[in-house]
Amino acid sequence: MLVDHEVPTVLGRIRVRTDGDGPAMLMWPSLLMDGDLWAAQAAHFADRFTVLVVDPPGHGGSEPLTGGFTFEECATVIEQVLDQFGVPRAHVLGNSWGGMVGGTFAALHPDRVGVSVLLNATASAAGRRQQIEYAAMLRAARLLGGIKPPLTRSVLRAFLGPTTLRARPDVVRAVRTALLRVDVDSASWAVRSVVPERPDQRELFADIRTPVLVVAGDEDATFPVSETRSMAEAIPGAGFVVIDGAAHLAALEAPYQVNALVDDFLAQQRPPGM
């Protein structure tokens, strides 16, 4: 059973939910999502690991954001969470925003990370089209007083692919529920920092020397397979896998496949001391 904690960080108070015992595994979700994105992974790994499920800055039970941030500050948040729990090193699972931050953390803090599994992420700066689309989404959300219909449909199509929209109603309900909980004023700072102000991290990621698996969804319209593959190619020795029938939230859409990929990658790498 996940237990709530509050952790003071450079980006405000962060809610971290913990379960299990053993080597640490930290999980950071996508923009507009909270730690519930990782429910299936937290349940799967808690019998062997101490899972640390993060509500990222400005989301879920974490303190609202009042300004923008850098990915380096997000990596510091991970470091501060590990310090709070007395954890010297952790495996890191990240989806989208979490995948980008997971790469930043691995590059800047190699002594604090075991393996990294980075899903539905990118190392590239945002293109003009993505900047325009997210700016329009935020304007609509402010006018509506939240991410509500008809805007919800547009966000669902950005996050979920045709397979999930057609055949996984439980996932659609979970994402719709999460979107309704979003604090638009707070999330807008995160969106601005992660989309239009996102840096190109490919040069930084070339410094990563710890094991990394990059995972794409073949139906991901936000970061297509080619873009996520480019991220993997920027990381020395990184593995790359595409999950069929998954889009931008693979951990939620295809939990059994993701759990199996993480299990297999951990078995192959066996980082010392973890």
Side-chain angles (χ1 to χ4, degrees):
M1 180 178 177
L2 291 168
V3 178
D4 284 15
H5 306 267
E6 293 185 354
V7 179
T9 76
V10 294
L11 295 180
R13 175 185 49 78
I14 299 296
R15 183 173 77 166
V16 180
R17 288 175 286 173
T18 66
D19 194 7
D21 191 24
M25 179 180 288
L26 182 140
M27 305 174 187
W28 185 304
S30 167
L31 275 174
L32 309 182
M33 297 287 109
D34 59 26
D36 287 348
L37 175 75
W38 297 106
Q41 287 69 45
H44 178 76
F45 289 104
D47 65 341
R48 291 162 287 155
F49 295 90
T50 298
V51 297
L52 306 169
V53 183
V54 173
D55 280 358
H59 291 66
S62 293
E63 186 176 355
L65 287 164
T66 57
F69 54 75
T70 65
F71 284 2
E72 288 81 2
E73 287 175 315
C74 292
T76 298
V77 169
I78 294 180
E79 187 178 32
Q80 292 174 320
V81 167
L82 299 186
D83 289 345
Q84 177 76 17
F85 293 99
V87 172
R89 297 172 69 198
H91 304 306
V92 176
L93 309 186
N95 186 97
S96 188
W97 175 17
M100 302 175 217
V101 172
T104 310
F105 185 72
L108 298 180
H109 302 281
D111 57 323
R112 303 298 302 270
V113 64
V115 309
S116 306
V117 181
L118 312 178
L119 300 90
N120 306 115
T122 184
S124 304
R128 183 63 178 160
R129 177 178 176 180
Q130 191 174 82
Q131 293 182 25
I132 292 170
E133 288 175 346
Y134 273 77
M137 178 194 74
L138 287 177
R139 285 195 298 271
R142 290 191 182 99
L143 287 171
L144 292 168
I147 303 179
K148 302 174 182 177
L151 178 58
T152 310
R153 288 194 295 273
S154 298
V155 181
L156 286 172
R157 291 192 187 98
F159 280 3
L160 305 175
T163 299
T164 294
L165 291 171
R166 180 183 67 251
R168 299 173 180 136
D170 54 330
V171 174
V172 176
R173 282 194 298 271
V175 175
R176 183 179 286 114
T177 298
L179 294 175
L180 290 172
R181 293 197 298 259
V182 169
D183 178 335
V184 173
D185 290 336
S186 175
S188 65
W189 290 109
V191 171
R192 184 181 305 177
S193 300
V194 176
V195 184
E197 297 177 4
R198 181 173 76 232
D200 188 314
Q201 297 201 100
R202 285 173 290 185
E203 184 175 348
L204 175 66
F205 286 7
D207 293 334
I208 296 175
R209 294 295 181 267
T210 51
V212 176
L213 176 65
V214 177
V215 180
D218 75 327
E219 298 179 358
D220 191 343
T222 300
F223 298 141
V225 170
S226 59
E227 185 169 348
T228 306
R229 181 184 289 112
S230 177
M231 175 182 173
E233 291 170 347
I235 302 171
F240 180 67
V241 177
V242 178
I243 298 179
D244 293 338
H248 193 60
L249 303 177
L252 184 61
E253 296 175 86
Y256 300 112
Q257 293 95 315
V258 169
N259 291 348
L261 285 172
V262 176
D263 275 328
D264 291 346
F265 193 59
L266 287 167
Q268 292 166 15
Q269 300 300 327
R270 298 188 181 276
M274 296 193 74

